[in-house]
DNA sequence: CAAATATAGTTCTATATCGAACTTTTGTCA
DNA sequence: TGACAAAAGTTCGATATAGAACTATATTTG
């Protein structure tokens, strides 16, 4: 059987790309948002006013992680948290104007990252890659849901 | 242009798979080694007695991260550190007997992870995926080396 | 309806991660 | 050779991350 090390490779890619992403953000004078926080803001740009449970699903982070990250994001003025009127257990996380202004710059950095990622690969290869990645993510999420 | 989010997907896959890996290790009664530490031990299994700089290359972690992780790994008895006779700046990291005994169990957990990862994919798809992953990693590493 | 259970978040504690600044040792070169 | 530069690690302070235990609210069920 062939030896596989997809998980190891993914860890390395994640490590290096986070470092580069953070450096690029700084080079664009984005000093009060890092790549980890950006992942959370990113999902809110796609769908604002989400509960923390929703963000757990969207980001694949634990609720403990999100809880503390949101404190920092709120302190930095990127999001605000309000309690859901209809269900007082829920917290609704919303973007502020400040974070909306960052969207364009963040998108530029993201695009630079994507260009770097996929340098030297064809559209077909990229399509196949992202499809496989999505498939792997589904496998993992299904597993995590089945044995909590 | 098509919207790409490979980096975002990879972050999520890394997040979920690390959580699952840690849970699997515990289920195998491996309580004094987690997945992050395992990544370091893993490269030492492939090539023992490496300097910390070598490990920076092999693991894609920063030297600051490795420095503190190795303290914990040494304290837990998984590795020992010795100063290179010929170059006193260098530290040589070596596996202990204890960590060698873990190799089989760790490999079992790794294989379970790989099976889960690639469930429902063909050998060809997996080959292509790992090749692309390797390509992306090369792109990133080259970039990081070029602008330090 | 009251008690039991489930859901949503927070807090606590520990590890992981990194950049920047630092020390020590080695290498270079005028 | 002596000063300067480069290389190898460590330390420090900050953020990221998660499991376990906890609080508060909502839902289910007898």
């Amino acid at each position: 059987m062939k030896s596989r090390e997809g998980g190891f490779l993914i860890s390395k890619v994640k490590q290096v790309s986070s470092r580069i992403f953070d450096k690029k953000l700084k080079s664009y004078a984005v000093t009060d948002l890092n790549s980890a926080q950006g992942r959370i803001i990113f999902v809110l740009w796609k769908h604002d006013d989400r509960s923390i449970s929703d963000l757990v699903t969207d980001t694949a982070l634990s609720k403990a992680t999100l809880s503390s990250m949101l404190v920092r994001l709120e302190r930095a003025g990127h999001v605000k948290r309000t309690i859901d009127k209809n269900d007082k257990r829920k917290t609704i996380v919303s973007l502020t104007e400040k974070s909306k202004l960052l969207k364009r710059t963040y998108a530029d950095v993201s695009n630079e990252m994507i260009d770097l990622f996929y340098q030297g690969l064809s559209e077909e290869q990229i399509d196949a890659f992202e499809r496989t990645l999505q498939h792997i993510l589904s496998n993992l999420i299904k597993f995590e849901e089945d044995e909590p």
Side-chain angles (χ1 to χ4, degrees), chain A:
Chain A
M1 199 184 75
K2 194 169 295 186
S3 113
R4 303 294 191 186
E5 33 188 86
F8 184 62
L9 282 173
I10 281 186
S11 292
K12 291 207 275 186
V13 169
K14 194 269 173 185
Q15 221 62 251
V16 184
S17 65
S18 294
R19 283 200 300 265
I20 295 176
F21 204 110
D22 281 329
K23 217 170 279 182
K24 281 185 183 291
L25 281 173
K26 281 189 187 170
S27 81
Y28 275 79
V30 178
T31 55
D32 66 341
L33 189 77
N34 61 33
S35 61
Q37 296 167 343
R39 285 214 301 280
I40 299 171
I41 302 286
F42 176 70
V43 308
L44 287 167
W45 278 324
K46 295 203 283 191
H47 187 164
D48 202 355
D49 307 311
R50 304 279 276 163
S51 75
I52 296 181
S53 297
D54 291 336
L55 294 177
V56 165
T57 305
D58 293 346
T59 62
L61 295 168
S62 74
K63 60 183 178 175
T65 298
L66 277 164
S67 192
S68 62
M69 304 254 333
L70 288 170
V71 168
R72 274 187 291 273
L73 281 171
E74 186 164 46
R75 201 157 50 202
H78 292 298
V79 304
K80 60 179 184 300
R81 289 186 292 180
T82 50
I83 291 174
D84 190 322
K85 293 277 186 289
N86 303 321
D87 187 341
K88 287 178 196 154
R89 292 172 304 181
K90 286 189 185 165
T91 298
I92 305 297
V93 182
S94 315
L95 291 172
T96 61
E97 284 309 310
K98 176 177 180 181
S99 66
K100 290 175 189 168
L101 292 174
L102 268 177
K103 188 172 182 178
R104 171 63 58 97
T105 305
Y106 190 88
D108 289 344
V109 177
S110 290
N111 287 333
E112 269 190 29
M113 281 304 296
I114 289 292
D115 287 346
L116 175 56
F117 248 66
Y118 292 142
Q119 220 164 51
L121 296 170
S122 70
E123 288 294 305
E124 291 70 31
Q125 284 175 306
I126 299 172
D127 283 344
F129 177 74
E130 295 210 348
R131 240 180 294 123
T132 303
L133 214 40
Q134 191 66 64
H135 183 101
I136 291 169
L137 183 58
S138 301
N139 283 347
L140 296 173
I141 288 173
K142 199 184 312 160
F143 179 87
E144 209 177 31
E145 280 169 357
D146 288 351
E147 16 199 308

